[in-house]
Amino acid sequence: MGDAHRRLRSGTVVLGGMGLLAAALTACSSEPDQRCVDRDSYTAARGYRIVSDKNCRSAKTAVDGTWYYGGRKNGGWISGGSFTTPRKGSGGSGGSSGGHGSGVHRGGFGGGKGSSGG
């Protein structure tokens, strides 16, 4: 009984460690989360319509394709992201916080007047 219980815990630790490794690799990816969208398709209810990447790679397309970073995908639509390329190494999906960076803000001694933590 003791060996079976020990093996189960060991397997759980390995699986949990693999999940953490996958999350870390995803967060450190050099490629930002980007999708090609039709800039002219915006609706308040849905956001922007996702289109084929070829619309962002070529100027000779019928759609005004533009790269869109971050956001939440819902079917063939996306919202809550930004047209601004995230800074390299920011680790966030970028742009979804109203123009303020989504990175970690670290305080220190003499943090300045009026600064807030969020």
Side-chain angles (χ1 to χ4, degrees):
M1 170 90 173
D3 286 339
H5 186 64
R6 187 174 298 130
R7 273 184 276 177
L8 179 61
R9 281 190 299 173
S10 176
T12 302
V13 169
V14 169
L15 289 175
M18 294 297 281
L20 288 173
L21 177 62
L25 290 174
T26 301
C28 295
S29 173
S30 62
E31 290 295 317
D33 180 23
Q34 69 181 19
R35 290 179 178 84
C36 186
V37 300
D38 178 359
R39 191 180 268 268
D40 299 328
S41 68
Y42 180 79
T43 65
R46 294 196 228 173
Y48 293 95
R49 184 172 56 95
I50 299 171
V51 296
S52 173
D53 287 358
K54 70 181 179 183
N55 293 298
C56 288
R57 293 190 180 118
S58 174
K60 298 180 180 182
T61 61
V63 175
D64 183 15
T66 306
W67 292 114
Y68 192 76
Y69 302 93
R72 292 173 306 282
K73 185 178 176 200
N74 186 5
W77 296 81
I78 191 162
S79 64
S82 172
F83 290 108
T84 305
T85 307
R87 288 179 296 178
K88 191 169 187 167
S90 66
S93 59
S96 61
S97 59
H100 303 300
S102 61
V104 175
H105 298 281
R106 292 185 175 89
F109 292 109
K113 281 186 166 181
S115 62
S116 65

